[in-house]
Amino acid sequence: MQRSVLPSQLKIACSNCNLRELCLPVDLSVDEMKKMELLSHAKHYYARGSYLYRSGDKLQSLYAIHSGSFKTQFLHEDGREQVTGFQMVGEIIGLDAISTDRHSCDAIALESSEVCELPFNKLEVLSRELPSLQHHLHKIMSSEIVRSQGIMLLLGSMRAEQRLAAFLLNLSQRFAARGLSPTMFQLRMSRHEIGSYLGLQLETVSRAFSHFQEDGLISVKVRSIEILSLQRLQLCLNGSP
Amino acid sequence: MQRSVLPSQLKIACSNCNLRELCLPVDLSVDEMKKMELLSHAKHYYARGSYLYRSGDKLQSLYAIHSGSFKTQFLHEDGREQVTGFQMVGEIIGLDAISTDRHSCDAIALESSEVCELPFNKLEVLSRELPSLQHHLHKIMSSEIVRSQGIMLLLGSMRAEQRLAAFLLNLSQRFAARGLSPTMFQLRMSRHEIGSYLGLQLETVSRAFSHFQEDGLISVKVRSIEILSLQRLQLCLNGSP
DNA sequence: CGCCGGATTGAAGGTACTCAATCCGTGTGG
DNA sequence: CCACACGGATTGAGTACCTTCAATCCGGCG
């Protein structure tokens, strides 16, 4: 579905936590480095199930995920809920709030996690002085737009098993981009959450997992996944019956 | 689904075409006005069916729609297609390209239309000098993210008739925000395109229209729509059977 | 007039949903 | 230490909704 996004996502994550690795794409001058450090960034811990922010909260900061993972979910008045994304290490979260100055969705930790806070007003000030930061911020927002186009395609035109294949392949790529195994990983979310994300009922998700396992595409042990054939999973995504 | 977005969308549309009405939210100084005018903006015409840009095209500009309307569609290798949005007067189009420096979808005129070109590099330079422009650009991008959250909710959790109700109500709001009738309007897109946007087959869209008409919610004459009861349409959206 | 594309309508079939029972792993308390 | 309870996951059966395929209608245009 979408390509790996780690490098771009991480870059503005932190200016002085881990400067060499996480800093801006273009090498910055010493002077520019100093400016980056103005971007104070408190690090915070979140326990599994706790809220990073809630729908309606005022925009304070964007958040760079240092460890762990989150889900974002969109709640409708009538109780309908939709998981709009799962975010992992190095990704930026909170962009939805810039539009109205208030968050439009909830962000909840899927496991104990650590985030780096990036006060948004400081980010705007700084990005006026650092063109590469400015452009980078634009790229991150645009990536989020492109990502959602991919989800729309998935929700609008794929069958259940294709959706799950797309989901697994996307996770695989993102793990790979982080130097983790692209074929063996732990899911941090429940079947219900996967279903909400993919526009399916949890039972359908479960059945699709079972079917993939029967066909030898993957090995599933509840939340432990091993992908046995990335190729065949890709074929499944492309709609081979 | 989502609130009207006209005011914010129009603001950066044009600095000197129609300065008083379309300019930045905050009143700018004369000096700032002059800077805005640096943002040269060629106006271009597009015939019905012609491409504003194609997937893969290099990012040159963002486009502010002056008249007419467009659709954006996302094509997958395997032939799958998904209409990701319908854009009308005052909306900004092309944000998807910032991510990779290339457009990720096609934009096609639904009728003869006029757009104002906003060279993106100039926009970045200028927004470093004009904080209100900078913030505004951020808001527009964030709005697009929030908009897609709404579509995800629609595609992920609504039944066919709820989706169509949401679609009609959204159009209604957007027409109203432009000073047009919120209850009588012409659709610029085919049943097939509506279906692609809503994740439905064109026949299902057609049946839903017919059903709404039978129930006295709307009056349909092919592409001429009259909403007879916004309230009841809203109820339908909220899932009353 | 007759064609053409888009829209409507009908009938049959399939996919995923709903409801329900069961399973399994984890954690808790006797 | 084991039994039990609990939540999440799996599996089954029946059904609803939407899709698919097909026929027909309608309006615009050559």
Side-chain angles (χ1 to χ4, degrees):
Chain A
M1 215 165 53
Q2 64 258 35
R3 302 278 129 231
S4 142
V5 288
L6 175 69
S8 72
Q9 298 286 15
L10 266 178
K11 285 164 193 163
I12 73 160
C14 226
S15 57
N16 60 8
C17 303
N18 195 349
L19 203 52
R20 295 266 163 255
E21 291 171 33
L22 303 178
C23 198
L24 282 169
V26 182
D27 289 317
L28 298 174
S29 67
V30 176
D31 192 46
E32 287 174 326
M33 284 295 197
K34 283 215 173 115
K35 287 182 181 171
M36 269 304 273
E37 283 166 21
L38 293 174
L39 186 63
S40 83
H41 45 281
K43 212 191 268 188
H44 293 291
Y45 294 80
Y46 289 85
R48 178 179 143 82
S50 62
Y51 283 74
L52 175 56
Y53 54 78
R54 288 169 191 268
S55 174
D57 285 356
K58 212 149 180 337
L59 167 64
Q60 305 289 349
S61 301
L62 303 184
Y63 305 91
I65 302 175
H66 264 251
S67 66
S69 52
F70 288 80
K71 67 169 174 178
T72 46
Q73 61 180 22
F74 194 68
L75 296 171
H76 203 241
E77 301 92 70
D78 55 17
R80 231 192 296 275
E81 84 177 43
Q82 174 75 27
V83 171
T84 56
F86 298 111
Q87 295 79 20
M88 55 173 75
V89 174
E91 293 174 340
I92 303 289
I93 188 171
L95 299 168
D96 57 282
I98 303 168
S99 163
T100 59
D101 212 45
R102 293 192 177 274
H103 287 281
S104 60
C105 62
D106 299 332
I108 301 168
L110 292 174
E111 58 193 307
S112 58
S113 304
E114 232 176 324
V115 305
C116 175
E117 215 175 315
L118 306 160
F120 185 67
N121 49 11
K122 290 194 186 178
L123 213 47
E124 282 197 328
V125 170
L126 202 57
S127 75
R128 270 180 250 138
E129 298 177 21
L130 302 180
S132 58
L133 175 62
Q134 178 200 33
H135 190 62
H136 198 71
L137 189 56
H138 292 162
K139 280 195 159 195
I140 287 173
M141 301 188 76
S142 177
S143 298
E144 186 62 19
I145 292 170
V146 175
R147 185 186 75 86
S148 40
Q149 289 179 343
I151 312 283
M152 286 185 218
L153 182 72
L154 180 147
L155 292 172
S157 73
M158 292 188 194
R159 328 217 122 277
E161 299 194 352
Q162 296 178 305
R163 296 185 198 191
L164 189 63
F167 174 68
L168 291 172
L169 287 169
N170 176 254
L171 284 184
S172 172
Q173 286 175 8
R174 287 157 74 192
F175 283 124
R178 283 156 182 77
L180 303 170
S181 167
T183 55
M184 292 190 68
F185 47 83
Q186 292 283 325
L187 299 175
R188 304 264 98 131
M189 64 295 280
S190 70
R191 298 293 189 260
H192 178 79
E193 288 164 334
I194 297 173
S196 172
Y197 182 59
L198 299 179
L200 300 170
Q201 294 306 115
L202 67 93
E203 295 95 330
T204 306
V205 174
S206 182
R207 276 184 247 272
F209 271 123
S210 301
H211 190 214
F212 282 164
Q213 182 160 245
E214 284 164 28
D215 285 7
L217 294 181
I218 64 175
S219 165
V220 189
K221 212 168 281 163
V222 193
R223 295 198 182 187
S224 301
I225 302 292
E226 180 178 5
I227 299 178
L228 301 174
S229 170
L230 285 166
Q231 273 197 337
R232 289 177 58 202
L233 209 52
Q234 184 67 49
L235 282 175
C236 172
L237 165 56
N238 292 339
S240 68
Chain B
M1 211 168 51
Q2 65 257 36
R3 301 278 130 230
S4 145
V5 287
L6 176 70
S8 73
Q9 298 285 13
L10 267 178
K11 284 162 192 164
I12 73 159
C14 227
S15 57
N16 61 7
C17 303
N18 196 349
L19 205 52
R20 294 267 162 255
E21 292 171 31
L22 302 179
C23 200
L24 283 167
V26 181
D27 289 316
L28 298 176
S29 68
V30 176
D31 193 45
E32 287 173 325
M33 283 295 196
K34 285 216 173 120
K35 286 182 183 174
M36 269 303 273
E37 284 166 20
L38 293 174
L39 187 63
S40 84
H41 44 282
K43 212 191 267 185
H44 293 290
Y45 294 81
Y46 289 86
R48 178 179 144 81
S50 61
Y51 284 74
L52 175 55
Y53 53 78
R54 288 169 191 268
S55 174
D57 285 356
K58 211 149 182 338
L59 168 64
Q60 305 288 349
S61 302
L62 303 184
Y63 304 92
I65 302 175
H66 264 250
S67 65
S69 51
F70 288 80
K71 67 170 174 178
T72 46
Q73 61 181 22
F74 195 67
L75 296 171
H76 203 242
E77 302 92 69
D78 55 16
R80 231 191 297 275
E81 82 176 47
Q82 173 74 27
V83 170
T84 56
F86 298 111
Q87 295 80 21
M88 57 173 74
V89 174
E91 293 174 340
I92 303 289
I93 188 171
L95 299 167
D96 57 283
I98 303 167
S99 163
T100 58
D101 212 45
R102 293 192 176 276
H103 287 282
S104 61
C105 62
D106 299 331
I108 301 167
L110 292 174
E111 59 193 306
S112 58
S113 304
E114 234 176 326
V115 304
C116 175
E117 214 174 316
L118 306 160
F120 186 66
N121 48 12
K122 290 193 186 177
L123 214 46
E124 282 197 328
V125 170
L126 201 57
S127 77
R128 269 179 250 139
E129 298 178 22
L130 302 179
S132 59
L133 175 62
Q134 178 200 34
H135 190 62
H136 198 70
L137 189 56
H138 292 161
K139 281 196 157 191
I140 287 174
M141 299 187 75
S142 177
S143 298
E144 186 62 19
I145 292 169
V146 175
R147 185 186 75 87
S148 39
Q149 289 179 342
I151 312 283
M152 286 185 220
L153 182 72
L154 178 147
L155 293 172
S157 74
M158 293 188 193
R159 326 219 126 279
E161 299 194 352
Q162 295 177 305
R163 296 185 196 190
L164 190 63
F167 173 69
L168 290 172
L169 288 168
N170 175 254
L171 285 183
S172 171
Q173 286 174 7
R174 288 158 73 194
F175 283 123
R178 283 158 182 77
L180 303 170
S181 167
T183 55
M184 292 189 68
F185 46 84
Q186 292 283 325
L187 298 176
R188 298 287 157 182
M189 64 296 280
S190 69
R191 299 293 190 260
H192 177 80
E193 287 163 336
I194 297 172
S196 172
Y197 182 60
L198 299 178
L200 301 170
Q201 294 306 114
L202 67 94
E203 295 94 330
T204 307
V205 174
S206 183
R207 275 184 248 271
F209 271 122
S210 300
H211 190 215
F212 282 164
Q213 182 160 244
E214 283 164 29
D215 284 6
L217 294 180
I218 64 175
S219 164
V220 189
K221 211 167 283 164
V222 193
R223 296 199 182 185
S224 301
I225 303 292
E226 180 177 7
I227 299 177
L228 301 173
S229 170
L230 284 167
Q231 274 197 337
R232 289 178 58 203
L233 210 52
Q234 183 69 48
L235 282 175
C236 173
L237 165 57
N238 291 339
S240 67

